[in-house]
Amino acid sequence: GAHPVAVLTYGFWQRRFGGDPGVIGTTLALNDKSFTVVGVMPPRFVLNREVMPTVDAIQQTDVLLPLPMSEAARTDRGHEDYNIFARLKPGVTVAQAQAEMDAIADRMKQQYPANYPPTGGLTISVVPLLEQVVGKIRLALYVLLGAVGFVLLIACANVANLLLARAASRQKEIAVRLALGASRSRIIRQLLTESVVLAVAGGAVALLLTSWALAALYPVVMAQLPIPHHLAESFALNLDPDLRVFGFALLASVIAGVAAGLAPALQASRPNLSAALKDEGSTFGAHLRQSRLRNGLVVVQLAVCLSLLAGTGLLIRNLQKVGTIDTGLETANVFAVTASLQSPQPDARREADLRRLLATRLRSLPGVNSLAEVERQPLTGMPPSVSVMLPGQTPSADSPLRARFNIVSPGYFETVGLRLRRGRSFSEQEAQAGAAVCVITEATAQRFWPNTEAIGQRIGLNLPALNATEQQFEVIGVTCDTRSGWVWQKDEAFVYVPLSAALGESGRAGQTLLVRAANDPQGVMQAVRAEAEALDPNLRVRLRRVADSLTFQMAPFRALALLAGVVGLLALLLAAVGLYGVMSFIVNQRTREIGIRVALGAPPAMVVRMFMFQGLRLAAAGAALGVVGGLGISRLLASVLIDVSPFDPLAFIGVSGFLIGVALLAVLIPARRAARVEPMIALRYE
């Protein structure tokens, strides 16, 4: 603190100082305080001031300052304003670090029993940063990668069917090569080389098209995300192809070429030489083995397609369910106000006084129906938990009772539309006097007092904001159940404690104001900025609609449903094209047979039914296998489904009917073409 220093980010260094290396050692003035510039971060270092988006413009961090250790941070053991990051020493595992942290936590419980009770008072968790960032979406990424692999499998099956048809037309050529002494392995190598060349060429074209598509679609997709424009600009993905992308595309193309060409090469390398040299290889259709292989590939395509569509149906149903979930809160026309002083070392007491003055002014604004002060804004992540003691119960070290909590002013329930089931909320007089009363949810009452009325019961809470180890609170009201943290997670146990003057002065509780406007809050939000500016020019306010938090939480579900829908429809298109191609090939090979049937008096409807039955049989077999595969995929998606069964019958029945309908349409076109075959032309065919 005696000699304040600062480190600049690369972007700020370029914008403010034009990349001048002489900036090191110069003085930078921030909020009437001077800092000596001692370094510049590399270009790839990006750090945002906020994780959750706000209505205000979110600025990217420009300057990094030494962490100011205030008196509260040094003395208040309930202080939670800082996150701790550490780099493990070489050779040290996460398990070893966790064991050491557990020992430290035990020592702190013994040394400070007033702050950390023996049952759940202090827990230190060592979580790898990569796991913290990617862990929650790792399964979804694996499922998406598997879905893309399945689409590639369908495409390989399509190409394999095309290569089978091409090999059938080259039977005489291959027979001649074998008759002249070519070995079977040489024929297989030749056919595999052709398929791999086709696959590599297709991969190169696909890579080029993908680069163009990403460059064109990335800004469009980012513009559609429910986050402010400035937050979207604060990070960027490098979508330029590099050697790793080229290498992966080349490897995938070679594997796809071998996978698509191996079965046709093996089949084509063992023709009936006598029949092929006499040009009889295609009479009355292909050999039975070829027909079974083609049909098997079609069944695999349809099965994989239905599996993907089943996952898509579940994710779409999940999105619909999430969109209609009752959080217990009425978020329309409600917005949050977070006020803080723009100072390297802000005064917590001064900030608390300004927030109270701002709240008083906002209550008198026209268009404001109600206002509340809260410690934590709803729908911005799970609130902290607190250990719970019930009278007459002995604490258990193995499974201590805990509950989520929030410290709120008396107007909170009216502001967020939280309905009281029975009892009452705390009054303004109780809050000012610091009365030991609380309000709980129905789930909390059912959990702690399953067969007893919760009103009038007492509950012991070890709140970090209180100096006492434990304080007894009387339950005076019960609200409906809520999802106040994440929309996908119910509040199993939740306690609302009144915001007293002592808690507000700590600078932690009451740091967010919730305002309910009579109509569209945009005009009121502009007035809030004006009032904050009038109070103190250094008072910075960040505004956020509570409904935006809900929309932000639904973004991953919407993205998963959209990606799954695109992949599923692409798989359906490929499967339909494959089925259409096989049926067209069969019609073409059986042209002479069809002509004979028509010449002998078979009506066109009978010909259509014959091919429709064959196509329906393939579709039914693929659907049956696809349902089994869909059940497996649904178990993988169970962790991201909210109040939707992994075996939801509506999703499975809907996608199965849709797939069979598309398959019948793909069969109907070549079947109708077969029914229009002229007998004389067909009899002269080949």
Side-chain angles (χ1 to χ4, degrees):
H3 187 68
V5 295
V7 175
L8 310 180
T9 60
Y10 185 85
F12 181 75
W13 177 51
Q14 292 287 335
R15 295 192 308 270
R16 180 75 175 269
F17 300 98
D20 181 12
V23 71
I24 304 299
T26 61
T27 300
L28 180 67
L30 295 175
N31 295 328
D32 301 328
K33 190 171 184 179
S34 298
F35 294 84
T36 302
V37 179
V38 296
V40 177
M41 297 301 295
R44 296 180 64 87
F45 178 83
V46 177
L47 181 66
N48 293 326
R49 291 178 180 171
E50 300 288 344
V51 176
M52 301 296 289
T54 65
V55 176
D56 280 350
I58 293 182
Q59 299 178 355
Q60 183 173 317
T61 299
D62 294 326
V63 181
L64 288 84
L65 305 178
L67 183 66
M69 292 298 293
S70 61
E71 184 65 24
R74 286 192 293 266
T75 59
D76 181 9
R77 296 197 170 273
H79 205 74
E80 299 177 351
D81 288 350
Y82 301 127
N83 295 320
I84 298 177
F85 294 87
R87 182 178 295 277
L88 297 180
K89 292 182 178 179
V92 177
T93 65
V94 174
Q96 292 172 332
Q98 182 63 65
E100 187 172 347
M101 292 300 104
D102 292 340
I104 292 176
D106 292 338
R107 288 199 301 268
M108 293 183 69
K109 289 179 183 179
Q110 296 174 4
Q111 188 173 359
Y112 305 100
N115 301 100
Y116 310 119
T119 58
L122 177 64
T123 302
I124 305 177
S125 300
V126 178
V127 181
L129 187 59
L130 181 62
E131 181 68 23
Q132 189 176 15
V133 174
V134 184
K136 296 180 180 179
I137 62 173
R138 177 180 282 113
L139 179 60
L141 294 177
Y142 283 152
V143 172
L144 180 61
L145 181 61
V148 174
F150 282 148
V151 172
L152 180 60
L153 177 62
I154 295 175
C156 289
N158 264 348
V159 176
N161 265 325
L162 294 175
L163 292 177
L164 276 175
R166 187 166 179 263
S169 65
R170 296 176 62 186
Q171 282 187 354
K172 187 172 182 179
E173 172 200 341
I174 295 173
V176 170
R177 291 177 181 271
L178 290 172
L180 292 177
S183 64
R184 187 186 177 199
S185 61
R186 183 169 182 177
I187 297 298
I188 293 175
R189 287 200 305 270
Q190 177 186 342
L191 296 178
L192 280 180
T193 300
E194 294 176 0
S195 64
V196 169
V197 169
L198 288 175
V200 171
V205 174
L207 186 62
L208 183 61
L209 293 177
T210 301
S211 301
W212 291 343
L214 286 176
L217 295 179
Y218 178 73
V220 177
V221 173
M222 292 300 297
Q224 297 300 318
L225 292 179
I227 56 178
H229 179 67
H230 292 82
L231 178 62
E233 286 186 343
S234 66
F235 65 92
L237 296 177
N238 184 9
L239 301 177
D240 297 331
D242 55 17
L243 292 178
R244 293 171 296 180
V245 176
F246 281 113
F248 177 80
L250 177 61
L251 179 62
S253 300
V254 172
I255 293 176
V258 173
L262 184 59
L266 293 174
Q267 186 71 50
S269 62
R270 51 182 181 184
N272 186 329
L273 293 181
S274 177
L277 293 174
K278 293 177 181 178
D279 203 17
E280 298 174 354
S282 60
T283 304
F284 295 104
H287 293 298
L288 183 61
R289 289 176 301 174
Q290 292 177 333
S291 178
R292 285 178 177 174
L293 181 57
R294 284 195 301 268
N295 292 343
L297 290 173
V298 171
V299 170
V300 169
Q301 284 180 288
L302 295 174
V304 173
C305 177
L306 181 59
S307 300
L308 294 178
L309 288 177
T312 300
L314 286 174
L315 290 176
I316 292 176
R317 288 272 295 150
N318 190 52
L319 178 62
Q320 294 174 344
K321 193 70 176 179
V322 171
T324 58
I325 279 181
D326 182 14
T327 62
L329 310 175
E330 297 177 4
T331 59
N333 300 332
V334 180
F335 64 94
V337 182
T338 304
S340 60
L341 286 172
Q342 296 185 17
S343 173
Q345 293 181 329
D347 185 351
R349 181 66 63 86
R350 171 66 175 163
E351 282 188 350
D353 292 340
L354 288 175
R355 278 195 295 266
R356 282 196 294 270
L357 290 174
L358 180 62
T360 302
R361 291 195 178 190
L362 296 185
R363 286 188 177 93
S364 61
L365 284 178
V368 174
N369 281 355
S370 61
L371 182 143
E373 300 174 63
V374 298
E375 179 181 19
R376 188 176 182 90
Q377 177 186 340
L379 297 175
T380 56
M382 293 306 296
S385 63
V386 61
S387 60
V388 174
M389 281 293 297
L390 300 181
Q393 290 191 2
T394 303
S396 173
D398 296 330
S399 57
L401 295 178
R402 300 193 68 83
R404 305 284 178 182
F405 75 95
N406 202 355
I407 302 175
V408 301
S409 66
Y412 175 79
F413 304 100
E414 177 188 359
T415 302
V416 299
L418 184 55
R419 301 179 299 276
L420 282 170
R421 294 298 191 191
R422 53 190 183 273
R424 62 178 180 85
S425 63
F426 29 78
S427 64
E428 192 70 40
Q429 292 76 17
E430 289 173 324
Q432 292 299 324
V437 294
C438 67
V439 176
I440 63 175
T441 61
E442 281 187 311
T444 311
Q446 184 63 28
R447 181 180 179 186
F448 293 157
W449 301 282
N451 301 316
T452 309
E453 174 57 56
I455 301 296
Q457 299 287 343
R458 303 193 70 83
I459 181 173
L461 302 177
N462 180 29
L463 293 178
L466 299 176
N467 294 326
T469 303
E470 179 186 321
Q471 182 173 348
Q472 293 291 323
F473 289 82
E474 180 185 355
V475 178
I476 62 173
V478 178
T479 71
C480 63
D481 290 336
T482 58
R483 297 172 184 254
S484 61
W486 302 116
V487 69
W488 55 82
Q489 186 173 349
K490 296 179 180 178
D491 296 328
E492 296 181 356
F494 206 99
V495 181
Y496 297 96
V497 178
L499 174 64
S500 64
L503 292 177
E505 289 175 357
S506 67
R508 296 178 60 246
Q511 59 185 357
T512 300
L513 307 178
L514 293 179
V515 181
R516 174 174 288 277
N519 298 301
D520 185 4
Q522 189 61 41
V524 180
M525 294 167 77
Q526 296 295 335
V528 169
R529 294 189 180 92
E531 292 292 341
E533 178 71 20
L535 273 177
D536 192 322
N538 291 325
L539 185 64
R540 180 192 178 200
V541 292
R542 295 185 295 275
L543 309 178
R544 175 179 174 81
R545 296 174 187 255
V546 177
D548 290 343
S549 300
L550 193 60
T551 304
F552 187 78
Q553 290 191 25
M554 290 181 61
F557 300 99
R558 186 176 293 108
L560 280 176
L562 177 61
L563 289 174
V566 171
V567 173
L569 290 178
L570 179 59
L572 179 63
L573 176 62
L574 290 174
V577 169
L579 182 58
Y580 171 82
V582 167
M583 296 306 299
S584 296
F585 180 71
I586 292 175
V587 168
N588 184 62
Q589 285 196 323
R590 298 177 65 179
T591 299
R592 196 173 179 192
E593 173 194 346
I594 296 170
I596 294 175
R597 290 177 181 272
V598 174
L600 293 177
M606 179 180 176
V607 177
V608 172
R609 283 198 303 271
M610 178 179 66
F611 286 101
M612 290 292 292
F613 177 76
Q614 184 174 357
L616 182 60
R617 185 175 57 184
L618 296 177
L625 293 176
V627 168
V628 177
L631 293 177
I633 290 181
S634 66
R635 295 180 67 88
L636 295 176
L637 295 175
S639 61
V640 298
L641 298 179
I642 310 300
D643 294 345
V644 174
S645 171
F647 313 112
D648 185 68
L650 183 60
F652 279 88
I653 293 175
V655 298
S656 298
F658 184 55
L659 175 66
I660 292 178
V662 172
L664 290 180
L665 181 62
V667 174
L668 181 61
I669 298 175
R672 288 176 60 87
R673 187 171 70 246
R676 292 195 295 266
V677 170
E678 292 291 337
M680 295 304 298
I681 298 176
L683 292 175
R684 295 193 185 101
Y685 187 73
E686 297 181 345

